[in-house]
Amino acid sequence: MSVILFTLIILIGAYVAGLLGSLTGLGGGVVIIPLLTLLLGVDIHYAIGASLVSVIATSSGSAAAYVKEGITNIRLGMFLEIATTLGALAGAMLAIYIPTHYIAILFGVILIFSAIMSLRKKEEKIVLEPSYLAEKLKLKGSYPDGDGHMIQYGVTHVGGGFFMMLFAGVISGLLGIGSGALKVIAMDTIMKIPFKVSTTTSNFMIGVTAAASAVVYLQRGYIEPGISMPVVIGVLLGALTGSKILVHTKSSGWLRWVFAIVVTFLAGQMIYNGFTGKI
């Protein structure tokens, strides 16, 4: 395969990954890594390195808009970032020594879990009274609704959310994805944060988490510019297109089903190739 054809396939695949990731809110890394490893035969470590660089780029671009709108809880994000960064460093260092077929199997399992989480029905429950630790750390906040009113919310079970974020960071560093499904559990389910705030705060955190992991991959020589650059360009263009489509789409339910089916198929391929030793 020529270099031009190789780059073109990556660019188109990354565009589709960014588009799907933007429309569903689960990121494009879950598509990029199977694309590179299964279709193009790229070593999974280089695929993870490229995915991490794309996560940094997309997070940096979209997080700024949410911060400007006042939705992101910056104080909470910086606190939880301690856990995700430590976890990401540990995961990235572990990934160097774990056999690639084990990483592929784990990646497939996490993909299936992400697909299930994307289809679950969400029930909004706002906690008004923060827990003792949340009060001491001043983690409570507010966000604007569609009418311009400010909705107050509290935060609870800070310890449980912190340790879940630590685990999410390990998975992120190990597999090169945003671990959005695990962060949903940490912030929505455990800490009872409103979905709008948890989604934007998670987006704010993902870039820093990926940057911590990327340092380890860069030192090991697993970030290849020839792979990473077309991935970044494709994902950014796809995410931009997805955001414009989402504005004119009344319901994203069918999009989540499409995404879940695609991800489940890719997960099956990753697990199969992991067990057969082809990755």
Side-chain angles (χ1 to χ4, degrees):
M1 184 183 298
S2 67
V3 175
I4 295 176
L5 180 59
F6 180 80
T7 304
L8 188 61
I9 293 173
I10 293 177
L11 194 61
I12 295 171
Y15 177 83
V16 174
L19 179 64
L20 285 173
S22 175
L23 291 173
T24 57
L26 293 178
V30 294
V31 177
I32 290 209
I33 294 174
L35 166 74
L36 293 174
T37 54
L38 298 177
L39 181 62
L40 299 175
V42 175
D43 184 279
I44 195 168
H45 292 119
Y46 289 96
I48 292 172
S51 177
L52 287 171
V53 174
S54 72
V55 167
I56 296 169
T58 51
S59 173
S60 300
S62 58
Y66 295 132
V67 171
K68 185 178 180 181
E69 291 174 10
I71 304 173
T72 304
N73 189 327
I74 299 176
R75 190 178 184 89
L76 176 65
M78 293 305 293
F79 170 70
L80 294 176
E81 196 57 65
I82 297 171
T84 57
T85 302
L86 290 174
L89 288 171
M93 287 186 284
L94 280 173
I96 307 300
Y97 303 102
I98 296 178
T100 55
H101 60 278
Y102 287 143
I103 296 177
I105 294 169
L106 178 60
F107 187 87
V109 172
I110 294 296
L111 284 194
I112 293 173
F113 178 72
S114 298
I116 294 171
M117 290 297 293
S118 71
L119 296 175
R120 76 185 184 114
K121 292 183 178 179
K122 298 181 179 180
E123 297 180 1
E124 186 81 279
K125 290 183 180 179
I126 297 177
V127 177
L128 296 176
E129 290 297 325
S131 63
Y132 174 78
L133 188 55
E135 185 70 34
K136 287 294 182 183
L137 295 172
K138 299 178 180 179
L139 299 180
K140 63 180 181 180
S142 62
Y143 67 96
D145 62 7
D147 299 322
H149 300 104
M150 298 302 292
I151 299 177
Q152 305 290 328
Y153 63 89
V155 180
T156 185
H157 299 119
V158 176
F162 188 87
F163 281 108
M164 178 55 76
M165 282 293 183
L166 186 65
F167 178 65
V170 172
I171 296 299
S172 179
L174 191 61
L175 304 179
I177 57 178
S179 299
L182 297 175
K183 286 175 179 165
V184 164
I185 293 177
M187 289 195 275
D188 291 359
T189 308
I190 299 176
M191 304 179 78
K192 307 298 182 185
I193 299 169
F195 296 124
K196 200 171 185 180
V197 178
S198 65
T199 301
T200 55
T201 303
S202 175
N203 196 288
F204 169 75
M205 296 166 56
I206 282 173
V208 181
T209 307
S213 307
V215 169
V216 178
Y217 282 88
L218 182 64
Q219 289 179 334
R220 298 285 181 173
Y222 286 128
I223 295 182
E224 174 59 48
I227 300 173
S228 300
M229 288 311 297
V231 165
V232 170
I233 294 170
V235 167
L236 283 173
L237 292 175
L240 180 62
T241 306
S243 63
K244 291 182 178 180
I245 293 174
L246 201 59
V247 172
H248 304 289
T249 304
K250 292 182 179 180
S251 174
S252 61
W254 67 274
L255 292 171
R256 291 187 177 276
W257 274 103
V258 170
F259 188 82
I261 292 169
V262 171
V263 164
T264 302
F265 172 75
L266 293 175
Q269 291 297 310
M270 291 293 286
I271 293 172
Y272 172 76
N273 282 275
F275 273 118
T276 55
K278 294 180 180 178
I279 293 181

